[in-house]
Amino acid sequence: MSELCVYRKDDLQFTHNYDTHPQQKDFFLHIHDQYEIYCFLSGNAEYLVEGNAYALKPGCILIMRPSEVHKVRIISEKPYERYVIQFADSLLDAVDPERYLLKAFWDRPLGQKNRYFPTEFEKMRPMELLDAMCAPAENEQERRLKILSYLYSLLEQLYTAFLKKDDPFSVQRTSAEKMISYINQHLSDDLSLNLLSERFFLSVSQINRLFKQATGSPVGEYILAKRLMNARSLLREGQPAMEACQKSGFKDYSAFYRSYCKRFGVSPREDMSEK
C-alpha cells in the first residue's frame, strides 16, 4: 500500500491510499470510537456496513459513526484508491456544540443510509474538498488547518444531503440484518451460537455462512468487537472496569482484560484514567 498523503494525530487522521494489487487478506474488520468519512476513488470493491453491502463507484462517499462495523470487500485486484478521514467528536466543540453536523451519522438506523453519490451534493463535490486537503503545506500545523477547514465544509454538505436523502432499505430485512440488530440490542446477554440458532431458526453453519457473507467477519469476532467498544464507552463515562465488563456481556474478567489490552493497547483502568 502506498500512502500518497497522510496526517495522523489522536483526534484527526487523514490518508490518501493506493494499492496496486489489493488483496482481501490485507483488509480487516473496522470498529472504532471516532467518526469516519470514506471516499472511493477507483478499484473493484464493495463496502460492508453492519450487514449491508454497498456497491462502490468513483466519488462515492460512505460515513460511519463510532462503533459502526465496516469492512471493504475486494472483488478483483484492480488498483484500489481511496481517501479516509477519521475524527473525534471533540473537534466540533467550538464550531458546532449542538452537533448538527453529525446528524447524518446518528439520525438513521445502524448500517443504513451510509452511502452518498456525487450527484447528491449541491456545492463543491466532496472529492474536490478531499483533493484540496492534499494540497502542499508548509508544516504539520498548516496541514491540520487545511484539513479541518475542508472537513467542516464537507460535514455541512453531508448534513444538507442527508436532509434530502431518499435511500430506503427494504422493509423485509435479511436474516443477517435481523441477527445484527438483535446482537446490538443484547450485548449484555447470552449471544452463543446455539442461542442465535434457536432464536432465528437457523443451523449454526447457516448462521456462520450468512454472517460472514454479510459482514465479512465471523459471528464471534463481530460480537467481541462490539462488546469491547461498548465496554470502552462505559469506562469513559466513568463506570468501574468490573461493571463495564459485566454490562458488556463478559462473564470472565480475565478474558475481558486480555481482549481489551490486545485491541486497545492499554488496560481497562488505564483507558479510564486517560479520560
Side-chain angles (χ1 to χ4, degrees):
M1 180 181 72
S2 299
E3 291 185 329
L4 305 180
C5 183
V6 59
Y7 174 88
R8 286 195 180 94
K9 297 295 180 184
D10 287 345
D11 60 348
L12 178 65
Q13 300 89 46
F14 170 74
T15 57
H16 178 193
N17 294 330
Y18 182 87
D19 288 83
T20 307
H21 300 290
Q23 303 287 322
Q24 185 62 62
K25 64 181 178 61
D26 297 323
F27 297 92
F28 307 100
L29 188 77
H30 279 202
I31 181 170
H32 42 72
D33 56 6
Q34 295 192 338
Y35 297 86
E36 181 169 323
I37 300 173
Y38 165 98
C39 179
F40 177 76
L41 299 177
S42 66
N44 186 12
E46 62 181 3
Y47 217 79
L48 307 175
V49 187
E50 295 288 358
N52 288 316
Y54 291 97
L56 296 175
K57 295 182 179 180
C60 274
I61 293 284
L62 282 103
I63 61 171
M64 280 69 65
R65 63 181 181 239
S67 297
E68 196 164 29
V69 170
H70 50 284
K71 180 179 183 177
V72 69
R73 178 181 282 157
I74 302 299
I75 297 172
S76 76
E77 292 185 27
K78 183 178 178 181
Y80 171 43
E81 186 177 4
R82 67 278 187 198
Y83 285 119
V84 180
I85 304 176
Q86 292 179 6
F87 63 96
D89 182 270
S90 59
L91 289 181
L92 296 177
D93 285 346
V95 298
D96 182 24
E98 302 299 326
R99 302 299 193 262
Y100 288 109
L101 294 178
L102 296 181
K103 284 184 176 291
F105 293 84
W106 287 105
D107 290 2
R108 57 177 177 77
L110 192 70
Q112 297 189 21
K113 297 188 178 182
N114 297 81
R115 181 183 57 190
Y116 292 78
F117 292 104
T119 53
E120 295 183 66
F121 298 92
E122 296 179 345
K123 303 176 186 176
M124 196 174 183
R125 294 287 168 83
M127 247 171 65
E128 297 174 74
L129 293 168
L130 292 160
D131 287 342
M133 293 181 192
C134 285
E138 291 290 328
N139 50 52
E140 285 287 279
Q141 182 59 22
E142 184 180 324
R143 170 71 63 201
R144 181 181 179 85
L145 290 172
K146 193 182 295 289
I147 293 171
L148 282 175
S149 63
Y150 290 117
L151 173 61
Y152 295 141
S153 295
L154 179 53
L155 288 172
E156 188 275 331
Q157 291 209 46
L158 280 165
Y159 170 67
T160 302
F162 173 73
L163 295 179
K164 298 179 178 180
K165 194 167 184 62
D166 182 20
D167 183 22
F169 279 80
S170 171
V171 175
Q172 295 298 319
R173 295 185 300 169
T174 66
S175 295
E177 289 174 304
K178 291 176 183 176
M179 276 190 284
I180 288 167
S181 178
Y182 179 84
I183 287 168
N184 279 279
Q185 292 172 27
H186 296 84
L187 286 174
S188 62
D189 301 336
D190 177 19
L191 291 173
S192 66
L193 281 173
N194 287 335
L195 181 142
L196 293 174
S197 176
E198 291 175 8
R199 181 169 187 85
F200 292 98
F201 306 102
L202 295 167
S203 69
V204 169
S205 61
Q206 284 177 309
I207 288 175
N208 278 318
R209 178 175 54 79
L210 290 171
F211 208 88
K212 184 71 179 290
Q213 182 180 12
T215 68
S217 73
V219 184
E221 181 183 344
Y222 178 91
I223 293 172
L224 177 61
K226 284 283 183 170
R227 282 176 163 165
L228 288 171
M229 287 302 301
N230 188 66
R232 188 176 220 192
S233 178
L234 294 173
L235 286 168
R236 292 183 169 186
E237 290 171 6
Q239 298 202 25
M242 182 61 78
E243 252 182 64
C245 165
Q246 293 172 345
K247 288 182 177 179
S248 300
F250 292 94
K251 307 304 179 188
D252 178 71
Y253 185 81
S254 296
F256 163 69
Y257 182 92
R258 289 193 299 271
S259 296
Y260 198 97
C261 292
K262 183 177 180 181
R263 175 165 285 273
F264 300 120
V266 294
S267 72
R269 288 188 174 85
E270 287 172 331
D271 209 4
M272 180 171 56
S273 65
E274 288 178 1
K275 297 298 170 183

